[in-house]
Amino acid sequence: MCITLMGVNFFLITKNFKLENANAIVAAAFGGIITADFCSGFFHWAADTWGSVDLPVLGKHFLRPFRQHHIDPTSITRHDFIETNGDNFMVTIPFLGRMVWDFIALPEEEMQKKFTWNCYVFLLAIFIAMTNQIHKWSHTYFGLPGWVVLLQDCHIILPRKHHRIHHVAPHETYFCITTGWLNWPLEKLRFWIALEFLVETLTGFKPRADDMKWAQKGSVS
Ligand SMILES: [Zn+2]
Ligand SMILES: [Zn+2]
């Protein structure tokens, strides 16, 4: 359903595209990709840094996959297409559906007013949907199609070498896993450390406390 909606929206965008708005549209599309990269980093950071895998529902379904990925980074490469992408593809469906509605139901003038915004949402949705697949590719060293390697080498999607920086313990930087464009600037701004300091000050929780517990259990046994 997600792929069909992407195809339909792509057709409708091309059909209604006006060259005089090209600059705004390119900027919006670029903004959509950046936002997707930031979202991937934010959710990954939250899941890596806070809470325990023993928490009900959230721990098992959201936190554990992220934590286990640090212990066995290649297991992701053995997940099939649905297991890898199902959740993220599903999240984008309401937004892509709404966009089709805008294109076919709104009066021409109103549709054109929302066109740039919808281009932003379209790129955001594509890159959010593709995040786990892109992350999986960044761990795949054999048999990747040439076009994927080219996209990685041009840093249009997360390159393999770039993502390796996150996989060095204690996994406290380079959280963005869609394009990875924001990793360097956020690291220079010490963004994640500042955010962790803020959360710790407000709540008293220590970042990666659960990982520390794991490590202590390991050293006792
Ligand atoms: Zn991680
Ligand atoms: Zn990874």
Side-chain angles (χ1 to χ4, degrees):
M1 201 162 151
C2 175
I3 293 169
T4 310
L5 286 170
M6 279 181 186
V8 172
N9 275 309
F10 182 71
F11 169 76
L12 291 166
I13 285 175
T14 336
K15 191 169 155 252
N16 293 290
F17 180 81
K18 290 209 164 60
L19 199 60
E20 65 258 35
N21 301 328
N23 285 346
I25 289 164
V26 170
F30 187 69
I33 301 174
I34 296 268
T35 310
D37 197 38
F38 181 79
C39 292
S40 77
F42 185 82
F43 285 105
H44 180 186
W45 166 78
D48 274 8
T49 312
W50 306 103
S52 154
V53 291
D54 302 323
L55 283 173
V57 188
L58 198 69
K60 184 165 177 264
H61 295 284
F62 185 62
L63 305 187
R64 190 177 282 277
F66 278 96
R67 311 285 170 90
Q68 277 179 340
H69 176 62
H70 296 158
I71 297 163
D72 183 7
T74 55
S75 70
I76 189 180
T77 64
R78 297 186 289 274
H79 295 168
D80 64 22
F81 187 82
I82 299 290
E83 189 174 0
T84 308
N85 299 301
D87 290 349
N88 283 34
F89 270 51
M90 207 152 56
V91 165
T92 66
I93 288 174
F95 301 95
L96 292 168
R98 167 72 205 252
M99 208 184 300
V100 174
W101 176 255
D102 283 352
F103 278 119
I104 57 174
L106 289 182
E108 168 74 17
E109 198 188 339
E110 243 179 275
M111 186 271 288
Q112 278 300 340
K113 253 193 235 163
K114 279 192 84 178
F115 189 85
T116 310
W117 167 253
N118 274 333
C119 289
Y120 169 81
V121 177
F122 185 58
L123 267 294
L124 174 62
I126 288 181
F127 275 80
I128 283 183
M130 288 303 292
T131 291
N132 289 339
Q133 185 64 47
I134 290 171
H135 182 207
K136 177 179 168 179
W137 283 331
S138 81
H139 285 284
T140 309
Y141 280 82
F142 302 100
L144 274 183
W147 62 271
V148 173
V149 177
L150 183 69
L151 289 176
Q152 288 176 331
D153 289 347
C154 300
H155 204 155
I156 293 167
I157 60 171
L158 187 70
R160 289 171 284 192
K161 219 171 141 191
H162 179 98
H163 182 52
R164 241 184 272 160
I165 299 170
H166 175 71
H167 275 275
V168 177
H171 316 284
E172 57 189 353
T173 188
Y174 277 51
F175 291 101
C176 301
I177 49 174
T178 304
T179 59
W181 294 346
L182 290 176
N183 282 324
W184 186 80
L186 291 179
E187 176 60 19
K188 283 286 140 194
L189 290 168
R190 300 174 64 78
F191 178 79
W192 302 114
I193 292 177
L195 210 53
E196 285 166 17
F197 178 76
L198 189 72
V199 173
E200 193 177 341
T201 311
L202 292 175
T203 67
F205 291 124
K206 290 210 177 305
R208 286 167 288 279
D210 199 43
D211 282 5
M212 309 265 181
K213 263 191 268 162
W214 280 17
Q216 275 165 5
K217 271 183 213 158
S219 64
V220 169
S221 58

